Amino acid sequence: MSAGAVGPQTGTQEAGEPSTEAQAAQSGTVAEGATAPGQAAARPGGRPAGEVRFDDVPLGEEWHSPLYAMACRQFARAADVLSLEDEVRTRLLEPRRSLVCNFPVRMDSGEVVNYTGYRVQHTLTMGPTKGGLRYAPDLGFGECAALAMWMTWKCSLAGLPYGGAKGGVRCDPHALSAGEIERITRRYAAELLPVVGPDIDIPAPDMGTGEREMAWFYDTYSQSVGYAVPAVVTGKPVALGGTVGRHDATGLGVVFSIESAFEELGWSIQESSFVVQGFGNVGSVAARELHARGGKVIAVSDIRGAIANPHGLDIPAVLRWVDEHYYLEGFPEAEPVDGEEMLELECDVLVPCAREEQITEHNAERLRCRLVVEGANGPTTPAADRILGERGITVVPDILANSGGVIVSYFEWVQSHQKYSWQALEVQERLRTQMRAAYDRVRATASELECDNRTAALASAIQHVSEAAKLRAIYP
Ligand code: NAD
């Protein structure tokens, strides 16, 4: 293990761990929408040429982000359950390959701004790497490393022939024009040329990116090699070889997970209430599908706050409102609620679909749900996991519940390679089957190892990757 890495020893630390908020403050990360010291407010995430500041980047500490420490803690717990050898632990803990780039972009005003981009490939053992591109003002190396590691476990659990990756650009897409985002995306894609490719590393959308950015990435890559390479990204528009169903896949997969859990618990969606945090790609589709199945979605939220109606929100009407007004606030047939308080509303299922570290040691004690199904990546901290476990609140973990996106991305990649498109129904049925198999695998492992679902999901995934790593052995 390299010096300073968060290893199994610190990884197993649980009691008395510092609050994530305090860790975030120490590492210098900032919350979404906030402006870090030294950042120009008009260009969040970018540094105007000639104005390089060193006090806004935690120099030399990129790996020590709270999120990477959290991913390592989760890994260590599962590795302990598996009694994984130290040698394999170290190989699986640290990202195999990482790229950080700083590149200039000309803004609409003519000004040149320098942006930082990342791409982390967690393991190259399983095949090409796969993972999203995130555009966020507080994106850092450690966050990408954590998300890349989770992607490895997610792909492994779903039985996909990939290692995990994650990347993106530190920028605030809401403060940029479409032209500026296009120039950032194309330049970032050009910076990544040495490490991406249809059989090397295949990006996809994540927070702050979507079909549009994938189309630009695909075009930039194809221009560089001289012919069209649709398999270099997934989540592209259908007109460019994207698959039908990719847009809805993650949210739909979350609902498939809820259905699997309900079947086991003997619960019914029609008789249950749901709180959905985050109303973007994942949350809005999950809420729509729960509503369509007769579920009562009593609250939804976005970055500005939450809206609630104890009788159930009219989700199609909420979707029309968001189409027109972008934010949820002002929706007439609901009460405004504080975004943090909505997590504590009494409901059967809480579905966090916004971002990391939302259920922490500070609010886990106050949650009034019976089940948590994680649409977002890393929404529950290890300390909160422990509290939820003690309170008998079951968690369907992220690497299982939100794997629908990468599963359908895999279908898209296969179709791009085959140059043959599948029908919508085939995509949906294959997704349902693959997610059900992963759910059953997690529940069987949980019962065999007598552990919670998260540890079982990670153990099952890590076991598979560690076996492959041992079989491939060490080169030379
Ligand atoms: P998105 O950008 O489309 O939507 C995010 C939503 O969360 C927005 O409504 C935003 O306003 C809201 N939000 C942000 N911070 C919030 C906060 N503190 N409180 C309440 N709401 C907040 O992103 P997305 O693609 O829906 O991704 C959401 C999560 O799901 C992320 O953790 C992402 O990594 C994960 N995920 C996404 C996919 C995918 O296919 N898009 C796949 C797997 C996992």
Side-chain angles (χ1 to χ4, degrees):
M1 179 181 302
S2 65
V6 182
Q9 294 84 357
T10 50
T12 47
Q13 171 196 350
E14 283 187 348
E17 62 196 12
S19 81
T20 51
E21 289 76 7
Q23 287 172 333
Q26 274 169 19
S27 72
T29 55
V30 289
E32 184 166 10
T35 306
Q39 281 182 333
R43 299 279 178 240
R47 293 183 296 285
E51 279 188 38
V52 177
R53 296 272 304 261
F54 294 101
D55 55 356
D56 59 344
V57 179
L59 287 174
E61 292 181 9
E62 293 277 14
W63 289 105
H64 294 275
S65 78
L67 209 63
Y68 184 61
M70 176 172 148
C72 290
R73 264 187 216 118
Q74 291 177 349
F75 170 84
R77 181 180 298 182
D80 285 347
V81 169
L82 291 171
S83 304
L84 206 64
E85 304 92 312
D86 281 351
E87 183 184 302
V88 187
R89 277 183 196 237
T90 310
R91 283 172 69 189
L92 297 184
L93 195 59
E94 296 180 322
R96 175 71 175 73
R97 187 190 279 164
S98 310
L99 182 146
V100 183
C101 50
N102 292 294
F103 53 87
V105 176
R106 193 168 297 281
M107 312 311 285
D108 292 346
S109 63
E111 176 193 20
V112 172
V113 172
N114 218 33
Y115 283 89
T116 302
Y118 305 95
R119 188 67 180 168
V120 178
Q121 299 167 350
H122 173 250
T123 176
L124 308 183
T125 301
M126 308 306 289
T129 46
K130 185 94 193 75
L133 300 182
R134 182 173 280 200
Y135 288 1
D138 55 346
L139 189 70
F141 205 13
E143 180 179 343
C144 292
L147 292 162
M149 193 195 297
W150 283 326
M151 278 303 293
T152 295
W153 312 141
K154 199 182 297 185
C155 292
S156 169
L157 187 63
L160 308 180
Y162 297 133
K166 207 68 161 197
V169 179
R170 188 189 303 197
C171 68
D172 182 357
H174 300 299
L176 298 163
S177 71
E180 289 168 339
I181 296 174
E182 179 175 355
R183 292 193 289 281
I184 288 173
T185 303
R186 287 185 180 280
R187 179 59 190 254
Y188 169 66
E191 297 287 333
L192 258 53
L193 286 176
V195 296
V196 294
D199 292 307
I200 302 172
D201 181 13
I202 308 114
D206 191 68
M207 277 170 63
T209 64
E211 289 187 349
R212 184 182 67 164
E213 287 73 18
M214 295 309 112
W216 291 329
F217 197 107
Y218 159 40
D219 184 66
T220 306
Y221 183 87
S222 300
Q223 294 293 344
S224 83
V225 296
Y227 55 93
V229 188
V232 72
V233 290
T234 59
K236 32 185 198 294
V238 173
L240 293 180
T243 187
V244 285
R246 172 60 184 91
H247 176 270
D248 290 1
T250 308
L252 189 59
V254 169
V255 175
F256 287 163
S257 294
I258 292 173
E259 287 177 333
S260 297
F262 272 35
E263 198 182 309
E264 195 183 347
L265 293 162
W267 297 1
S268 131
I269 288 189
Q270 288 88 345
E271 287 161 22
S272 300
S273 55
F274 302 85
V275 166
V276 181
Q277 185 201 32
F279 206 68
N281 177 293
V282 182
S284 68
V285 174
R288 186 194 74 199
E289 292 296 316
L290 288 167
H291 181 270
R293 286 161 171 72
K296 197 159 74 169
V297 181
I298 59 167
V300 295
S301 70
D302 65 19
I303 186 83
R304 293 228 176 138
I307 55 169
N309 182 335
H311 305 295
L313 292 160
D314 178 352
I315 296 296
V318 178
L319 286 163
R320 286 193 296 276
W321 175 269
V322 169
D323 255 355
E324 210 176 311
H325 301 89
Y326 193 75
Y327 293 110
L328 292 163
E329 69 185 1
F331 179 71
E333 295 149 45
E335 290 299 315
V337 179
D338 176 81
E340 288 184 13
E341 282 172 21
M342 72 92 78
L343 296 173
E344 299 166 21
L345 290 174
E346 188 168 353
C347 63
D348 293 302
V349 188
L350 174 62
V351 194
C353 298
R355 55 176 315 164
E356 316 77 38
E357 299 180 299
Q358 297 301 303
I359 304 172
T360 67
E361 67 267 44
H362 303 299
N363 63 3
E365 207 66 70
R366 294 196 299 272
L367 297 194
R368 287 187 289 158
C369 59
R370 298 198 287 163
L371 180 70
V372 174
V373 181
E374 297 181 333
N377 285 311
T380 310
T381 65
D385 258 337
R386 202 171 49 243
I387 296 168
L388 296 181
E390 283 161 9
R391 294 188 56 210
I393 299 174
T394 303
V395 177
V396 180
D398 47 7
I399 64 165
L400 172 61
N402 72 27
S403 61
V406 71
I407 291 173
V408 175
S409 268
Y410 166 68
F411 296 163
E412 180 178 332
W413 181 70
V414 169
Q415 292 170 74
S416 291
H417 270 301
Q418 290 178 330
K419 316 267 186 290
Y420 179 78
S421 299
W422 306 352
Q423 300 298 311
L425 201 59
E426 183 175 4
V427 171
Q428 207 178 107
E429 280 316 304
R430 281 177 185 261
L431 171 65
R432 190 196 298 275
T433 307
Q434 209 141 339
M435 289 208 65
R436 181 66 209 219
Y439 182 88
D440 290 344
R441 208 155 33 245
V442 170
R443 295 298 298 140
T445 309
S447 124
E448 186 193 330
L449 300 177
E450 297 180 348
C451 62
D452 58 86
N453 286 338
R454 189 185 313 284
T455 308
L458 287 166
S460 171
I462 291 168
Q463 173 84 39
H464 180 209
V465 179
S466 68
E467 257 176 54
K470 282 187 255 180
L471 285 167
R472 284 191 62 170
I474 295 174
Y475 172 86

